[in-house]
Amino acid sequence: ARKRDGKNGLRIFDAGMLDAARERHEIEQFIEAGLKEDWFEAWLQPIVSLHDGQIVGFEALMRLDHPQKGLLPPAKIINIAEETGTISRIGDRVLEKAIRHLATISSLDGTQETYLAVNFSPLQFELTLPHKLAALLLKHHISPHRIVVEITEAVLMLDNPEVHAVLKQLQEFGCRIALDDFGTGYSSLSYLNRFPVDIVKVDQSFTRSLSSSSADVRRKSRMLIKGIRTISHQMGCTVVAEGIETKEQWQLLRKLGVDYGQGYLFSRPMPISGMLTMLENESEAKTSSTG
Ligand code: C2E
Ligand code: MG
Ligand code: MG
Ligand code: MG
């Protein structure tokens, strides 16, 4: 887009703004089409025990798979979907698909042990959510104990009684609550006090700092992670580290007492087809190595 000169006042729109407006409009259209044509998918990323690398759960990550444009990551979608209000409908689709995928995985591995973590936007905490979730779980024969509701501070920051009531109901129903991206917001510690969180997810920036080129940064991030781990454990929370990309990060986080982790080192997020292939290969490798 070109900057228009002249006296019509349009000069305030520079090329960047026009491009941004056009991109935004395009994404709004992708979202509408995606809901209509069923392009929204729940990809999965394994969460492993840092003790032995065994898979303990999966995080569902939204992808909009446009037949021509390809994959759109959530960063492009979520803000716009929150502003236009389509996030609830998208969230419902992703939730249903993720639960269906967990049921598929369970029928393959024959266990009911792994959990499913699903990200929720503040706007999704409507009074109907517990009932909707219960119906989905019943339909797919999944126990609510296997569901982790991932929220960020943004949800607790609303300090909305309705949101708190919904979170409480979900917890009473058996779901666990995870506080995502922990340590990056304004007052994370006070949220641990005000709301009964079950899982703390240490933000991936902390994991990255463990590999900083500066020895000082490395030392301080080890102290920060250890501190978060200690407080979280004392409050009865499980600790998960995000963004683990190297063996060194894994070993350090394990030594620092972090329980679980996820990251490209273990697996990138994948569509269910890829995940099933990976799980099949893993279980074959295990059977052949144990005889
Ligand atoms: P998040 O919940 O903190 O998810 C972790 C993000 O880190 C994911 O990005 C994942 O692909 C990425 N990641 C995982 N391992 C690594 C690693 O080793 N290195 C690096 N650099 N990145 C890694 P993604 O899928 O792009 O999602 C971004 C954010 O979008 C999520 O952050 C979450 O806040 C939001 N989101 C994703 N799916 C949904 C959804 O269904 N609903 C809502 N409301 N938000 C979602
Ligand atoms: Mg998350
Ligand atoms: Mg996170
Ligand atoms: Mg994040």
Side-chain angles (χ1 to χ4, degrees), residues 42 44 60 93-103 116-118:
L44 298 175
R93 295 286 180 87
V94 174
L95 181 64
E96 158 120 54
K97 287 198 175 168
I99 290 173
R100 202 193 302 156
H101 295 336
L102 185 69
L116 174 72
V118 183

Side-chain angles (χ1 to χ4, degrees), residues 25 27 44 59 75 90 116 128 138 187 197-198 260 263:
H25 181 68
I27 290 170
L44 298 175
E59 178 171 8
I90 298 173
L116 174 72
T128 51
L138 209 59
S187 53
V197 170
D198 304 286
Y260 300 158

Side-chain angles (χ1 to χ4, degrees), residues 124-131 151 155-156 158-173 177 194-196:
Q124 288 179 265
F125 290 91
E126 297 163 322
L127 290 173
T128 51
L129 177 64
H131 188 80
I151 56 172
V155 173
L156 300 179
L158 290 176
D159 215 7
N160 176 326
E162 190 174 308
V163 170
H164 281 247
V166 169
L167 283 170
K168 267 235 140 59
Q169 271 183 46
L170 291 171
Q171 243 174 356
E172 277 158 15
F173 181 48
I177 309 292
R194 277 155 54 196
F195 195 84

Side-chain angles (χ1 to χ4, degrees), residues 180-184 201-208 225 228 240-243:
D180 207 348
D181 303 339
F182 187 82
T184 53
K201 294 191 80 171
V202 181
D203 190 70
Q204 54 186 38
S205 57
F206 290 98
T207 304
R208 209 175 309 125
I225 292 169
I228 293 173
V240 183
E242 306 189 280

Side-chain angles (χ1 to χ4, degrees), residues 176-222:
R176 280 168 291 169
I177 309 292
L179 196 49
D180 207 348
D181 303 339
F182 187 82
T184 53
Y186 298 104
S187 53
S188 309
L189 292 174
S190 80
Y191 291 113
L192 284 183
N193 198 10
R194 277 155 54 196
F195 195 84
V197 170
D198 304 286
I199 296 171
V200 169
K201 294 191 80 171
V202 181
D203 190 70
Q204 54 186 38
S205 57
F206 290 98
T207 304
R208 209 175 309 125
S209 306
L210 288 175
S211 312
S212 165
S213 56
S214 149
D216 192 45
V217 170
R218 289 199 302 272
R219 189 178 58 86
K220 283 178 179 158
S221 54
R222 285 197 300 271

Side-chain angles (χ1 to χ4, degrees), residues 4-290:
R4 282 211 221 167
D5 40 16
K7 292 136 208 126
N8 53 14
L10 280 176
R11 262 198 306 205
I12 52 167
F13 294 102
D14 65 17
M17 282 172 82
L18 278 174
D19 285 347
R22 188 177 304 129
E23 190 192 54
R24 189 199 156 95
H25 181 68
E26 209 173 52
I27 290 170
E28 278 175 25
Q29 285 179 327
F30 289 166
I31 290 174
E32 283 304 330
L35 284 167
K36 203 160 144 248
E37 308 289 339
D38 201 24
W39 294 334
F40 280 98
E41 250 307 329
W43 283 30
L44 298 175
Q45 184 179 38
I47 299 164
V48 307
S49 160
L50 292 186
H51 174 66
D52 56 11
Q54 291 289 326
I55 295 177
V56 294
F58 301 89
E59 178 171 8
L61 294 160
M62 169 207 299
R63 295 290 183 273
L64 174 58
D65 199 353
H66 189 285
Q68 280 90 43
K69 303 275 176 176
L71 277 182
L72 242 78
K76 289 258 178 220
I77 300 165
I78 287 161
N79 286 343
I80 293 173
E82 282 178 343
E83 281 169 35
T84 57
T86 44
I87 190 71
S88 309
R89 280 192 290 153
I90 298 173
D92 287 353
R93 295 286 180 87
V94 174
L95 181 64
E96 158 120 54
K97 287 198 175 168
I99 290 173
R100 202 193 302 156
H101 295 336
L102 185 69
T104 306
I105 289 172
S106 289
S107 64
L108 177 94
D109 72 10
T111 74
Q112 304 287 328
E113 283 160 20
T114 47
Y115 70 81
L116 174 72
V118 183
N119 295 283
F120 284 83
S121 287
L123 291 172
Q124 288 179 265
F125 290 91
E126 297 163 322
L127 290 173
T128 51
L129 177 64
H131 188 80
K132 257 197 289 205
L133 180 62
L136 282 174
L137 294 175
L138 209 59
K139 180 175 163 196
H140 295 281
H141 310 288
I142 299 286
S143 158
H145 298 96
R146 298 180 69 192
I147 300 299
V148 170
V149 173
E150 289 201 2
I151 56 172
T152 58
E153 278 185 4
V155 173
L156 300 179
M157 231 154 76
L158 290 176
D159 215 7
N160 176 326
E162 190 174 308
V163 170
H164 281 247
V166 169
L167 283 170
K168 267 235 140 59
Q169 271 183 46
L170 291 171
Q171 243 174 356
E172 277 158 15
F173 181 48
C175 302
R176 280 168 291 169
I177 309 292
L179 196 49
D180 207 348
D181 303 339
F182 187 82
T184 53
Y186 298 104
S187 53
S188 309
L189 292 174
S190 80
Y191 291 113
L192 284 183
N193 198 10
R194 277 155 54 196
F195 195 84
V197 170
D198 304 286
I199 296 171
V200 169
K201 294 191 80 171
V202 181
D203 190 70
Q204 54 186 38
S205 57
F206 290 98
T207 304
R208 209 175 309 125
S209 306
L210 288 175
S211 312
S212 165
S213 56
S214 149
D216 192 45
V217 170
R218 289 199 302 272
R219 189 178 58 86
K220 283 178 179 158
S221 54
R222 285 197 300 271
M223 287 164 64
L224 280 170
I225 292 169
K226 203 171 172 180
I228 293 173
R229 188 273 291 172
T230 305
I231 292 171
S232 303
H233 279 173
Q234 279 170 350
M235 295 196 146
C237 300
T238 302
V239 184
V240 183
E242 306 189 280
I244 304 175
E245 295 183 354
T246 70
K247 275 215 166 96
E248 292 68 39
Q249 291 169 344
W250 175 10
Q251 293 317 319
L252 264 173
L253 288 161
R254 192 176 53 76
K255 277 187 211 141
L256 291 169
V258 175
D259 305 295
Y260 300 158
Q262 64 190 104
Y264 297 164
L265 174 68
F266 306 107
S267 165
R268 288 189 174 253
M270 281 191 247
I272 182 64
S273 53
M275 188 55 67
L276 290 174
T277 308
M278 190 191 91
L279 293 173
E280 267 166 7
N281 291 342
E282 262 188 13
S283 79
E284 267 167 36
K286 225 179 273 169
T287 357
S288 55
S289 71
T290 54

